Amino acid sequence: MSEPRNEAAKEAKALRFAAIATGVMLVLAIVLLIKETAYTFVVFMFLGPPLLALAAIALGWVILRELRSKKVF
Amino acid sequence: MKRRVVALAAFLAPAALAADPRDFGVPEPHGWLGTTSQWIQGVGLVFAALNLVLLVVLWRMVRRRGVTAASKAMLFGAIVVLPVAVLFLATAHGMSESMKTEACGACHIMDGHFTDLRNPKSDSLAAVHYKNRYIQENHCYTCHSDYGFTGTLGAKFAGLGHTYRNLTGHYELPLKVRVPYSNLRCLSCHGGAQNFLAKHDKDEIPKLMAGQDSCLDCHGPAHTPEKAAAPAEKQAMK
C-alpha cells in the first residue's frame, strides 16, 4: 500500500522541481527583458536553458512513469 | 535676443550631434508599430508573465486536487511549450541588445572609448563614423565583429570574455585589440564606394585586401580614449 504512495510522492516532488526550475528561468527572462545588461544576459544564458532542460527532463520522467504504469509500453 | 539664440544653438549643437536620430525629433513613419526588437521584448514579457501566472494556478490546483490528467496536460504547456517560446524571445532580445553601443559602454573600463565615440569634437575614426552617422546603429559591434554566423558567435564569445575580465579585473591598461584589426571590416562597407575608389590607387587595394597596409596607417587613430578619460584613468593609462 505504501509503494504507490511513495511513487506518487516522488512524482509530486519531480513536478514541484520542474515548476520551480521553470519559474526561476522565467524570472531570469523577465529581468533580462526589462533591463538588459551584460550580467543579466550572461546569467540568463548560463542558467536559463539548463534549468528549462532539467524541468523538461523531470516532467518527461513523470510522464514516462505513468505510461509505463499503464503498460502503454 | 539674437545672442541668446546663438548661445543656445552652440550649446545644443554638440548634444544634437551626440544624440540618436530619434532624439533629434525625426517622427516615425505613418502607421509605425515599433521595431522587431521592441516586439520581441513586448511579446516575451507577456508570454513570461502569462507563464508565471499559469504556473501559480497549476501549483494551487495540484495542491488542492492532486495531479490529474488535465493538470498534467497544462503542466506540459507551462513547463515545455510556453517557456521554450520565452527562452527563444529572451535570447533573441539579449542578443540584439548586446549589440548596442550602450551595452559595450556599460562597463566602466570602456568609459574612455564610449565618451570619445560620442564626442562631436573628437576626430578619432570611431567618433567620425558616429557623429556623421556613417553607421546607423550598433556602432561598436559593426566594426568589431566579423561577418556571418561564425563572426556573430565569435563576437558573443569575446563579449563573454570581456564581461569576465571586467568582473574580475583581469585586464591591462591601455586596452588593445587582441589581434591586428582586419581591413576587411572597413572594406566591406567602403570597398565598393565611389569616393573610396576615387581616392585610392588601384595598386593599393590588393595590399589593403591582403592586410599588407592598414587602413589605420592613414585614417587612424581609431579611438582616443586618453583624451576623453577622467584624470584618474588617464594616470592608469600612462
Side-chain angles (χ1 to χ4, degrees), chain B residues 17-65:
Chain B
L17 283 170
D20 280 334
R22 277 186 296 276
D23 301 337
F24 198 69
V26 180
E28 302 295 3
H30 180 68
W32 176 255
L33 285 171
T35 60
T36 312
S37 180
Q38 287 166 339
W39 272 91
I40 286 174
Q41 184 183 19
V43 174
L45 272 171
V46 169
F47 274 28
L50 274 178
N51 202 161
L52 268 180
V53 170
L54 186 61
L55 272 179
V56 171
V57 168
L58 278 169
W59 184 281
R60 295 180 73 173
M61 197 190 223
V62 168
R63 283 189 78 172
R64 275 189 202 161
R65 299 177 201 168

Side-chain angles (χ1 to χ4, degrees), chain B residues 71-228:
Chain B
S71 64
K72 271 182 191 164
M74 284 171 79
L75 272 170
F76 184 75
I79 291 175
V80 178
V81 181
L82 263 179
V84 167
V86 173
L87 192 77
F88 175 78
L89 291 166
T91 305
H93 175 71
M95 289 278 184
S96 141
E97 288 295 304
S98 66
M99 291 177 191
K100 287 189 175 170
T101 312
E102 288 74 16
C104 306
C107 292
H108 178 64
I109 190 65
M110 295 308 296
D111 278 355
H113 287 74
F114 191 57
T115 311
D116 172 60
L117 177 77
R118 294 163 69 99
N119 179 8
K121 290 176 185 168
S122 172
D123 287 325
S124 70
L125 197 58
V128 167
H129 278 75
Y130 187 87
K131 66 185 170 186
N132 292 312
R133 303 284 168 217
Y134 292 151
I135 301 168
Q136 287 294 303
E137 53 189 9
N138 305 339
H139 301 82
C140 311
Y141 188 81
T142 303
C143 292
H144 288 283
S145 66
D146 276 324
Y147 296 90
F149 183 71
T150 53
T152 300
L153 214 59
K156 297 295 171 196
F157 273 111
L160 193 62
H162 296 161
T163 306
Y164 170 76
R165 280 190 284 277
N166 187 66
L167 193 64
T168 57
H170 285 137
Y171 52 79
E172 281 175 27
L173 291 172
L175 294 178
K176 286 176 186 165
V177 282
R178 198 165 40 89
V179 288
Y181 192 83
S182 170
N183 291 336
L184 298 180
R185 288 176 188 160
C186 309
L187 292 170
S188 66
C189 289
H190 294 281
Q194 286 303 311
N195 62 353
F196 170 80
L197 296 170
K199 287 175 188 169
H200 294 80
D201 289 337
K202 278 186 180 171
D203 308 343
E204 207 178 332
I205 295 171
K207 285 182 185 172
L208 290 170
M209 293 274 198
Q212 289 168 347
D213 291 343
S214 170
C215 300
L216 292 170
D217 290 343
C218 298
H219 299 285
H223 300 277
T224 50
E226 63 284 351
K227 285 184 187 171

Side-chain angles (χ1 to χ4, degrees), chain A residues 1-70:
Chain A
M1 189 67 189
S2 66
E3 191 79 2
R5 200 174 283 174
N6 274 349
E7 295 300 308
K10 273 185 190 173
E11 282 188 10
K13 206 181 254 184
L15 286 178
R16 207 176 301 145
F17 169 76
I20 290 170
T22 309
V24 173
M25 188 284 283
L26 288 171
V27 170
L28 293 177
I30 288 172
V31 171
L32 174 70
L33 285 162
I34 290 172
K35 178 76 186 155
E36 201 273 350
T37 67
Y39 300 114
T40 56
F41 186 44
V42 168
V43 169
F44 174 78
M45 289 306 286
F46 270 91
L47 294 180
L51 279 172
L52 192 58
L54 287 174
I57 288 168
L59 183 68
W61 179 77
V62 172
I63 292 169
L64 206 67
R65 280 174 77 97
E66 191 182 337
L67 292 175
R68 274 193 184 154
S69 70
K70 288 181 178 170

